[in-house]
Amino acid sequence: GNSVTQMEGPVTLSEEAFLTINCTYTATGYPSLFWYVQYPGEGLQLLLKATKADDKGSNKGFEATYRKETTSFHLEKGSVQVSDSAVYFCALPRGAGGTSYGKLTFGQGTILTVHP
Amino acid sequence: EAGVTQFPSHSVIEKGQTVTLRCDPISGHDNLYWYRRVMGKEIKFLLHFVKESKQDESGMPNNRFLAERTGGTYSTLKVQPAELEDSGVYFCASSPFATGELFFGEGSRLTVL
């Protein structure tokens, strides 16, 4: 099945710093890729996604580009805020084929803490 | 619209006891998933319901785990008997379509002593 390797962290930054969280994957074909975020006391929620190579997903100032040549989907934000403190998970479908959608393989999660 | 709700938020039981976790998905979502995160490791897929039918239960760790989804609405995950290694956070998620865009509950933390 598909797999994902995610930068573990934790990551601690000052407000307005640049953020990169690395994510690389191994997959059959070219599946959709996802970043989920879990804010304190909440469930995971979809942050952004990309459905094909060279697609850029973006949301809330975060971006990630689907790079098939490097099998990567790194998460970036130019200027983080205290409210971005959360756990970030990279994910992709467990296997090939449409029936795998919704059944995801997740990275280990990266804890981000942003200080004022 | 109410989100995915899970109950209990935290359960502490002794090894050998039984625990039942409940998940209420978003109304109208046919797809319901259970995931588990053990000791800060990656979140792992357990099983997938489409309405009341189990579509895939390949992630269930062993036969001590039993999941049901009554009438295609809420779902329960029973662990019987619980072992120490079952401790972790159990997440439920739902979606209207199997696209990978899941709506998660806050999770049920299980501690087995």
Side-chain angles (χ1 to χ4, degrees):
Chain A
N2 299 335
S3 64
V4 59
T5 301
Q6 181 179 342
M7 183 175 95
E8 291 190 21
V11 176
T12 302
L13 296 173
S14 297
E15 210 164 23
E16 299 184 3
F18 183 84
L19 168 70
T20 299
I21 301 177
N22 290 339
C23 171
T24 57
Y25 66 89
T26 302
T28 303
Y30 302 104
S32 293
L33 302 175
F34 305 89
W35 276 100
Y36 276 81
V37 59
Q38 185 179 22
Y39 297 104
E42 300 183 13
L44 280 79
Q45 57 185 268
L46 180 65
L47 178 60
L48 54 83
K49 69 173 184 177
T51 59
K52 60 183 187 295
D54 299 325
D55 256 7
K56 177 184 285 187
S58 61
N59 186 25
K60 299 182 179 181
F62 290 88
E63 294 183 338
T65 301
Y66 191 158
R67 304 277 190 207
K68 68 176 183 180
E69 58 278 359
T70 55
T71 61
S72 64
F73 192 53
H74 304 323
L75 182 68
E76 297 182 335
K77 186 173 185 180
S79 176
V80 294
Q81 305 300 312
V82 173
S83 57
D84 294 327
S85 297
V87 185
Y88 294 82
F89 297 90
C90 186
L92 76 167
R94 296 179 80 216
T99 57
S100 290
Y101 281 64
K103 294 175 285 188
L104 302 177
T105 290
F106 287 87
Q108 290 193 326
T110 300
I111 300 172
L112 171 66
T113 303
V114 181
H115 293 297
Chain B
E1 178 182 293
V4 176
T5 57
Q6 294 187 243
F7 181 84
S9 58
H10 191 188
S11 181
V12 181
I13 61 173
E14 302 216 341
K15 175 182 172 180
Q17 291 186 320
T18 298
V19 64
T20 300
L21 310 177
R22 173 171 170 143
C23 169
D24 285 79
I26 294 172
S27 178
H29 283 195
D30 287 342
N31 294 277
L32 186 149
Y33 308 84
W34 283 97
Y35 286 83
R36 177 173 75 168
R37 190 180 192 201
V38 175
M39 290 190 63
K41 296 186 177 180
E42 64 271 18
I43 299 170
K44 288 196 171 181
F45 166 81
L46 296 179
L47 85 159
H48 172 208
F49 283 99
V50 177
K51 297 185 180 179
E52 68 276 7
S53 300
K54 291 177 187 174
Q55 197 272 340
D56 182 350
E57 53 183 333
S58 62
M60 295 286 263
N62 52 61
N63 59 10
R64 295 186 293 103
F65 290 75
L66 175 64
E68 295 179 326
R69 188 177 183 191
T70 306
T73 56
Y74 71 91
S75 175
T76 57
L77 179 65
K78 180 189 287 188
V79 184
Q80 178 182 31
E83 298 290 344
L84 299 179
E85 63 264 26
D86 301 332
S87 295
V89 181
Y90 291 77
F91 292 101
C92 176
S94 70
S95 67
F97 310 105
T99 61
E101 298 184 41
L102 306 180
F103 297 82
F104 280 83
E106 294 181 23
S108 291
R109 180 175 296 277
L110 173 63
T111 302
V112 183
L113 303 177

